[in-house]
Amino acid sequence: MIKSVLITGANGGLGKDTARQLALLDETERIYLGCRNEERAKAAKLSLEASTGKSIFEILLIDVSNLDSVRSAVNSLNEPIDALVMNAGGMGGKQFADKTVDGVIQICAINVLGHVVLAEELLKANKLTKVALYVGSEGARGVPAMFMKRPALKTSSVDEFASICDGSFFGEKIDGSAAYPHLKYVAALWMSSLARKYPEVRIVTMSPGSTSGTDAGKTLAPAMKFFFTVIGPKVLPLFGLMHKLELGAKRFVDGLNDESYKSGVFYGSEKSVLTGPLVDQATIFSDLNNVEYQDNANEAIHRFIN
Ligand SMILES: NC(=O)c1ccc[n+]([C@@H]2O[C@H](COP(=O)([O-])OP(=O)(O)OC[C@H]3O[C@@H](n4cnc5c(N)ncnc54)[C@H](OP(=O)(O)O)[C@@H]3O)[C@@H](O)[C@H]2O)c1
């Protein structure tokens, strides 16, 4: 039974709806809204209290792109939490390709590095007791229906994974739509590696599927933004390529509560779609099961953590 949970990126989109759905479960006693902006966090807390009738939300300031902020958020937790939802992320805005002080590109910092430090520091401090859920993306195994190729690595060595994190893998001009699925792939491999180190905690990667009603499309180039926010929500559901916010967030709620979702596995939609039943993504892209690749991705990420 999950009584307490920390959700990163909880002030909007999937994170906020996950908080709403969890608050409606009788057993939930405390939900930490992990947000980087205090004003947006306060607004989300008020709106969640109004929509659920519950006063169980607490704001935890955390910017996952800043490792000092992540560590101080971990320190400020006085009691262990049962569950962690590593949801903050996305395309990283206009500065997605800028390097952070840790030497990774910004889109890596928000989708990967900050959550690695968050989960590992919580686990080391015995502050996370039951489930860690990382929000992945089917992009990590390729989505032919959306013309997204699966990540194609030459060696899957530590060096190659590190080059994805620092952006050199992508050449001079980094394409965010290529960097994003590669980074979600690196994170899914890291999660499987982590799951082998902490067998007492269920460590699951879960994609929400392609989900409308979030702010994810807002930072895209105008044509893409128009497609994903205006045309997409009308047309894509007909092909099983988009569903509503409640269904995307429900996947995380199920991932936390249903123990049939196994540790070390990356769950997402079936091969040709981005909605519907969940399947182990390694049945589509077997590289995800490669233990050497998992450990190489883990080692590569740790090159950027001091
Ligand atoms: N929507 C989809 O179809 C889809 C599909 C696959 C995977 N996902 C994944 O689902 C997750 C949630 O996305 P969404 O669609 O709900 O997008 P969203 O509405 O844009 O929400 C993203 C959340 O992440 C927060 N965030 C971003 N950078 C942060 C940082 N450095 N520190 C702390 N919080 C930060 C944002 O906070 P601010 O308001 O402060 O920016 C916001 O609360 C992401 O990891 C995304 O990659 C989404």
Side-chain angles (χ1 to χ4, degrees):
M1 215 184 253
I2 307 290
K3 291 186 178 171
S4 57
V5 58
L6 163 60
I7 305 167
T8 63
N11 57 286
L14 285 154
K16 185 179 171 198
D17 204 62
T18 304
R20 183 189 65 78
Q21 294 189 30
L22 286 170
L24 295 175
L25 303 178
D26 288 342
E27 62 267 27
T28 311
E29 292 174 359
R30 183 166 300 182
I31 299 178
Y32 293 96
L33 305 174
C35 306
R36 62 176 160 180
N37 177 290
E38 194 163 10
E39 292 314 307
R40 287 196 287 272
K42 281 182 180 162
K45 182 170 181 272
L46 280 177
S47 126
L48 283 164
E49 283 170 351
S51 63
T52 63
K54 301 275 180 82
S55 300
I56 55 170
F57 304 98
E58 210 169 293
I59 292 168
L60 185 74
L61 285 178
I62 178 169
D63 178 343
V64 295
S65 70
N66 177 326
L67 300 189
D68 289 339
S69 164
V70 172
R71 291 188 175 109
S72 112
V74 172
N75 287 336
S76 72
L77 277 177
N78 293 323
E79 288 177 0
I81 47 168
D82 292 332
L84 168 68
V85 181
M86 294 173 268
N87 165 77
M91 299 301 289
K94 288 199 175 99
Q95 276 80 41
F96 76 93
D98 289 359
K99 284 270 182 74
T100 69
V101 289
D102 305 300
V104 299
I105 47 176
Q106 184 70 20
I107 188 171
C108 173
I110 63 165
N111 285 286
V112 186
L113 201 69
H115 283 129
V116 171
V117 171
L118 176 61
E120 292 184 352
E121 297 273 325
L122 285 169
L123 287 164
K124 272 188 232 154
N126 291 321
K127 285 186 171 180
L128 174 57
T129 57
K130 292 190 174 139
V131 195
L133 186 144
Y134 174 79
V135 174
S137 162
E138 282 91 352
R141 49 82 164 163
V143 186
M146 301 289 274
F147 309 103
M148 262 186 239
K149 288 187 190 141
R150 67 174 49 168
L153 279 69
K154 290 196 179 75
T155 59
S156 297
S157 62
V158 177
D159 282 345
E160 194 170 28
F161 285 118
S163 74
I164 293 174
C165 297
D166 71 18
S168 56
F169 178 89
F170 305 102
E172 291 268 299
K173 190 158 170 23
I174 302 177
D175 175 357
S177 63
Y180 175 78
H182 280 82
L183 287 160
K184 290 289 193 187
Y185 173 57
V186 172
L189 291 170
W190 158 70
M191 283 289 282
S192 300
S193 176
L194 188 70
R196 283 184 276 111
K197 286 193 202 100
Y198 290 92
E200 66 283 9
V201 176
R202 213 155 44 80
I203 294 181
V204 172
T205 300
M206 176 75 78
S207 170
S210 167
T211 304
S212 60
T214 81
D215 284 342
K218 277 196 180 164
T219 54
L220 296 173
M224 290 289 278
K225 182 175 163 186
F226 184 70
F227 178 74
F228 278 103
T229 57
V230 181
I231 314 243
K234 293 192 180 80
V235 176
L236 294 176
L238 306 174
F239 302 95
L241 294 173
M242 193 171 260
H243 57 192
K244 290 204 159 82
L245 183 59
E246 298 74 35
L247 286 174
K250 184 174 181 300
R251 286 186 174 192
F252 304 158
V253 177
D254 293 345
L256 294 185
N257 288 305
D258 183 345
E259 293 188 359
S260 68
Y261 292 110
K262 293 197 200 83
S263 197
V265 175
F266 168 19
Y267 293 95
S269 313
E270 288 172 347
K271 192 173 179 181
S272 315
V273 287
L274 292 170
T275 61
L278 288 159
V279 295
D280 176 350
Q281 299 294 282
T283 60
I284 302 169
F285 186 27
S286 63
D287 287 24
L288 287 159
N289 264 348
N290 187 310
V291 171
E292 190 187 337
Y293 296 173
Q294 293 167 4
D295 290 344
N296 286 350
N298 176 58
E299 193 179 327
I301 293 166
H302 284 85
R303 281 191 185 172
F304 302 96
I305 301 171
N306 291 310

